[in-house]
Amino acid sequence: MCITLKPLFSRHKGIGVQFTDEPTGNLDSKTGEEIMRLFHELHHSGNTIVLITHDNHVADEAERKIYIRDGLVREVIE
């Protein structure tokens, strides 16, 4: 059996951007809430969080949502 572990986020040095892909996807609800609290803290300290998710509850915590379908931006909500 082969298990691949992905980092929770990758930080690109010097630009203060966190890229995340389904960061709460395989977590229990308590841990997911803790991760989202961490992202809010990072954001409030000046970092930009780019969070990809299919979970509308997670997306609702964002200041801006960009909906993409079939490779095209369909809607931007600020």
Side-chain angles (χ1 to χ4, degrees):
M1 177 182 353
C2 177
I3 299 174
T4 303
L5 300 175
K6 296 190 303 187
L8 179 61
F9 60 83
S10 67
R11 178 165 183 140
H12 293 269
K13 294 179 183 172
I15 61 173
V17 177
Q18 313 296 323
F19 293 90
T20 67
D21 183 15
E22 297 288 354
T24 61
N26 290 322
L27 304 175
D28 61 87
S29 59
K30 181 181 176 192
T31 305
E33 290 170 5
E34 290 175 16
I35 294 299
M36 292 307 297
R37 261 194 305 279
L38 172 65
F39 288 152
H40 285 291
E41 289 175 19
L42 288 168
H43 178 68
H44 290 304
S45 67
N47 291 279
T48 298
I49 310 294
V50 178
L51 189 147
I52 312 314
T53 187
H54 292 94
D55 184 331
N56 288 326
H57 297 291
V58 171
D60 286 341
E61 294 193 42
E63 288 183 4
R64 178 172 30 170
K65 294 186 268 187
I66 301 171
Y67 291 91
I68 299 172
R69 184 178 180 106
D70 298 329
L72 300 172
V73 173
R74 299 295 180 178
E75 184 178 12
V76 177
I77 299 173
E78 298 199 42

